[in-house]
Amino acid sequence: MIVAAVLGVPALLVAGVYLFGHYFVGADAVPRDSSGHVTERTQVPSTDIELGDCLDDDQMAGLERGSTTQAEVMTVELVPCDQPHQFEAYVVEDLAGGDYPGADSVQKQTQRRCAAAFKSFVGTGLRRSDLEVAYYFPVEQAWPGDREIVCMLSEPDHATTGSLRDSAR
């Protein structure tokens, strides 16, 4: 299980997302080329998102800036990055183990990690960017088996075609 949010500039969008992992299509079933890029639209558990993946999550994309909505998300649609998509994953990593530190702590850790990695991926700082940052983070029910966070970039009001890496936006 994971929870999601969007670090917008200057506002923060928050959406809760449970990721129940690998109950539907496993990571092995994701169509990828030899470099690991997704080659066709595929519905997968949100725990199957990999670094650099582009995806659609209509529930997350529909949130307004400043929202504190929490919702359950079990699947997302991976999309080849050369096709229009809502999000691009730029951080996929596990939080440190141990006892669950609480939802507020997990969310703050995720926000800090997403903000810290933004400039190296995009090429400009978060405060200067016109992009938004969405993220998934784990909830207590999934801990310690799922400690994964996913930070994703998005255009504020439209789909992206291609990667936002080094876009300096």
Side-chain angles (χ1 to χ4, degrees), residues 19-35:
L19 301 183
F20 287 102
H22 308 289
Y23 292 127
F24 304 100
V25 176
D28 295 338
V30 175
R32 296 182 183 275
D33 63 20
S34 60
S35 62

Side-chain angles (χ1 to χ4, degrees), residues 2 4-6 13-19 43 46 55-64 67 69-77 86-87 134 136 152:
I2 236 175
V6 177
L13 277 175
V14 179
V17 181
Y18 280 4
L19 301 183
Q43 192 84 14
S46 39
L55 62 129
D56 287 342
D57 178 346
D58 290 337
Q59 191 170 10
M60 173 85 84
L63 295 176
E64 294 182 28
S67 170
T69 303
Q70 297 214 354
E72 192 172 297
V73 173
M74 295 178 64
T75 62
V76 298
E77 185 171 23
Q86 297 164 333
F87 301 101
Y136 298 139
M152 303 170 288

Side-chain angles (χ1 to χ4, degrees), residues 3-156:
V3 178
V6 177
L7 278 172
V9 180
L12 170 68
L13 277 175
V14 179
V17 181
Y18 280 4
L19 301 183
F20 287 102
H22 308 289
Y23 292 127
F24 304 100
V25 176
D28 295 338
V30 175
R32 296 182 183 275
D33 63 20
S34 60
S35 62
H37 296 106
V38 173
T39 59
E40 62 186 70
R41 288 182 169 272
T42 307
Q43 192 84 14
V44 299
S46 39
T47 52
D48 284 355
I49 299 169
E50 294 183 8
L51 182 65
D53 280 352
C54 296
L55 62 129
D56 287 342
D57 178 346
D58 290 337
Q59 191 170 10
M60 173 85 84
L63 295 176
E64 294 182 28
R65 289 184 137 199
S67 170
T68 57
T69 303
Q70 297 214 354
E72 192 172 297
V73 173
M74 295 178 64
T75 62
V76 298
E77 185 171 23
L78 295 182
V79 179
C81 290
D82 62 356
Q83 295 179 14
H85 55 274
Q86 297 164 333
F87 301 101
E88 178 178 358
Y90 73 98
V91 172
V92 179
E93 62 188 37
D94 286 343
L95 295 176
D99 292 336
Y100 187 73
D104 287 344
S105 176
V106 169
Q107 186 171 356
K108 286 176 184 170
Q109 289 177 58
T110 304
Q111 289 171 352
R112 283 192 299 267
R113 182 65 189 113
C114 292
F118 187 89
K119 186 173 184 174
S120 64
F121 190 87
V122 176
T124 193
L126 181 58
R127 294 189 188 277
R128 299 182 121 181
S129 178
D130 63 343
L131 302 174
E132 292 181 335
V133 174
Y135 56 87
Y136 298 139
F137 61 94
V139 295
E140 186 172 13
Q141 294 89 331
W143 199 273
D146 181 7
R147 296 177 289 108
E148 183 175 87
I149 64 168
V150 179
C151 303
M152 303 170 288
L153 297 170
S154 70
E155 303 264 1

